[in-house]
Amino acid sequence: MDLTTVILAAGQGTRMRSALPKVLQPLAGKPLLGHVLDLVAAIDCSDTVVVYGHGGKAVQAAFPAETLKWAEQAEQLGTGHAVKMAMPHIDDGRLVLVLCGDVPLLRPATLQALLSTCANGDVGVLTVDIDDPTGYGRIVRDTSGFVQAIVEQKDASPDELTVREINSGVICAPSAKLRQWLDALSTDNAQGEYYLTDVISAAANDGTTVHAVKADDPDEVMGINDRRQLAAAECIYQHRLANELMDSGVSLADPARIDIRGSLRSGQDTFIDVNCVFEGDVVLGERVHIGPGAVIKNTTIGDDTVIHPHCVMEDSAIGARCQIGPFARLRPGAEFAAGSKAGNFVEVKKSHIGEGSKVNHLTYIGDATVGRDVNVGAGTITCNYDGANKHHTTIGDEAFIGSGVNLVAPITVGAGATVGAGSTISRDAPDGELTLNRAPQKTITGWQRPVKKKR
């Protein structure tokens, strides 16, 4: 039976105290709904209906994929009503999986286990045992162990309130039967809403078998309703990612002090120190050493490279055996060939640094091509911006740039050239020659430094 997933994403999330819709709150750098959509993709479901309500335009704008279908729940009349809004997008003869847009920690294997119970037109409910079930719908089973009903907290009897097995909000059911059960829902309950959970008792009364599949870990079905729960989910998610890294051969100084907000792939024997943040798509080679406090976004780093403490890099490519930092900033387009170096307080933007070249300290290189085995002295800058346009600087192989040099682009420094310290160079420097430009030094005898007037 072909699968359609319905994601409930219409809630306002008032306990978040935020103008941002709840399903757009970020977890590990991605909206909660994004995590649920990733889960759907992982189980190979290509037919997805998102039920939206509060902040609907913002939610739709955040996920512009043409493959998504959108169903509006203009009035918040309960979970059963929300699923009913999605049904016009779903044909009979399909299996419907209902997920919640604020439950981001489910694993694909757990959903596959649930879906497998519905192969013969049965209904499946994902449940979990928790120590304190207060506030959750209780699972009521018959003598054969099948689910007979889900009873909400406000409607539960004293005996039902002692049940520790609770509803996760995730169900799967055949679309034709689900449509009938949804049409028969009423608001005759403590909250005056259309409960999706009432579908379960309707299914049991119709003679349909309702299976309960228990999640192994209560964290999987954790819903996010406020910022404390969001922070707790972040810790759980980061812990999972840290374990995956360590299982793949990466050493972490402290697994509790790493933040991955995207994808981090690494070769073996890499070491990551504390308080590092990885964003977007980051790829590390083997035996890479990342010092503490690094912020790395959309960057590749080659084998045996050392990133010293407190470096920030974005959209950059760093080759093997490089040395970066400490306190270096690599802006988009920074490229370092094998064995090159950027020292402390160096900034590089949209430039290629050749093999074995060194940009040691307190230097800015922007819009430049630096050849191999070049030495760039401290305090050197490429003057690449004239207020309207960016201009390119080219430095040939084995050139030596002294300290405190201004290279006024567009300019070419030839191979093997030397530029004297303290120079401002605005014309090309020829290969193999010393070029310098300094104002004559003079001393003014008897000059008196100004003195502040006493008040």
Side-chain angles (χ1 to χ4, degrees):
M1 189 178 290
D2 292 332
L3 179 65
T4 295
T5 300
V6 175
I7 302 176
L8 307 185
Q12 182 175 357
T14 54
R15 282 181 279 172
M16 282 288 180
R17 305 286 185 183
S18 174
L20 195 67
K22 180 167 69 169
V23 294
L24 296 186
Q25 297 291 333
L27 173 69
K30 179 183 294 186
L32 296 176
L33 180 56
H35 288 276
V36 181
L37 290 171
D38 286 348
L39 176 65
V40 171
I43 61 172
D44 294 325
C45 178
S46 59
D47 188 49
T48 302
V49 185
V50 180
V51 181
Y52 69 94
H54 175 76
K57 289 184 178 179
V59 174
Q60 288 177 290
F63 300 95
E66 296 180 0
T67 55
L68 292 179
K69 301 173 184 176
W70 297 91
E72 183 179 13
Q73 187 187 19
E75 296 182 88
Q76 310 296 294
L77 302 178
T79 51
H81 176 257
V83 176
K84 189 173 182 179
M85 296 300 98
M87 295 309 293
H89 295 279
I90 304 172
D91 295 331
D92 288 345
R94 300 187 69 85
L95 180 63
V96 178
L97 171 67
V98 179
L99 300 175
C100 300
D102 60 356
V103 179
L105 299 177
L106 276 169
R107 298 180 186 273
T110 302
L111 283 190
Q112 294 288 9
L114 177 66
L115 293 170
S116 68
T117 65
C118 303
N120 298 314
D122 295 346
V123 171
V125 179
L126 184 64
T127 70
V128 68
D129 288 335
I130 60 175
D131 293 334
D132 181 8
T134 303
Y136 294 95
R138 308 305 205 277
I139 301 299
V140 179
R141 296 177 181 256
D142 61 21
T143 54
S144 299
F146 296 114
V147 180
Q148 189 175 21
I150 300 174
V151 182
E152 297 295 334
Q153 168 89 20
K154 293 183 179 180
D155 302 297
S157 68
D159 286 343
E160 290 166 341
L161 289 175
T162 64
V163 175
R164 292 177 52 247
E165 184 182 13
I166 60 123
N167 171 44
S168 70
V170 178
I171 72 167
C172 58
S175 56
K177 291 182 177 179
L178 179 60
R179 200 183 315 274
Q180 296 173 9
W181 297 327
L182 289 170
D183 287 340
L185 291 179
S186 76
T187 58
D188 185 18
N189 52 59
Q191 293 182 231
E193 295 182 349
Y194 295 99
Y195 291 161
L196 179 62
T197 49
D198 286 346
V199 162
I200 301 305
S201 56
N205 291 337
D206 281 353
T208 300
T209 301
V210 181
H211 303 270
V213 174
K214 284 188 181 182
D216 293 332
D217 185 354
D219 290 341
E220 282 198 66
V221 300
M222 176 182 178
I224 311 299
N225 295 298
D226 56 37
R227 294 186 187 272
R228 291 186 182 185
Q229 291 174 336
L230 184 63
E234 183 78 35
C235 291
I236 294 165
Y237 190 83
Q238 295 298 336
H239 181 68
R240 285 184 184 177
L241 296 179
N243 283 339
E244 290 174 7
L245 278 176
M246 291 187 290
D247 289 343
S248 72
V250 176
S251 291
L252 303 178
D254 184 351
R257 288 189 285 171
I258 181 173
D259 283 281
I260 302 170
R261 302 167 187 173
S263 170
L264 174 58
R265 292 168 286 163
S266 177
Q268 295 181 352
D269 297 315
T270 283
F271 173 80
I272 300 175
D273 214 323
V274 298
N275 300 328
C276 292
V277 178
F278 300 90
E279 301 181 358
D281 187 15
V282 177
V283 180
L284 309 178
E286 297 188 342
R287 301 173 300 280
V288 175
H289 185 107
I290 309 291
V295 179
I296 302 174
K297 180 177 182 180
N298 295 326
T299 293
T300 60
I301 299 175
D303 297 346
D304 301 299
T305 284
V306 176
I307 307 299
H308 293 284
H310 304 293
C311 292
V312 177
M313 54 195 70
E314 177 182 0
D315 297 314
S316 299
I318 304 168
R321 305 182 310 283
C322 292
Q323 297 275 335
I324 307 295
F327 298 99
R329 184 186 181 196
L330 308 187
R331 291 166 58 191
E335 298 177 356
F336 283 76
S340 56
K341 178 181 179 181
N344 47 292
F345 300 103
V346 166
E347 180 176 349
V348 177
K349 165 253 179 188
K350 200 177 179 181
S351 297
H352 176 83
I353 310 300
E355 186 172 352
S357 290
K358 299 177 181 179
V359 185
N360 279 318
H361 13 251
L362 301 161
T363 292
Y364 169 69
I365 302 293
D367 296 280
T369 301
V370 178
R372 60 175 174 79
D373 297 319
V374 171
N375 184 88
V376 180
T380 293
I381 67 169
T382 56
C383 306
N384 57 318
Y385 184 49
D386 65 7
N389 299 297
K390 300 291 178 67
H391 300 281
H392 199 78
T393 297
T394 300
I395 303 176
D397 295 343
E398 300 180 342
F400 183 95
I401 311 297
S403 298
V405 169
N406 300 313
L407 298 174
V408 183
I411 193 172
T412 297
V413 176
T418 298
V419 176
S423 296
T424 295
I425 304 298
S426 56
R427 295 193 300 271
D428 291 352
D431 295 355
E433 302 290 350
L434 169 63
T435 301
L436 67 162
N437 179 18
R438 299 174 184 158
Q441 180 172 313
K442 60 182 178 180
T443 300
I444 301 174
T445 303
W447 180 81
Q448 296 294 317
R449 181 179 299 165
V451 177
K452 290 183 179 180
K453 295 180 179 180
K454 295 183 178 180
R455 295 182 178 180

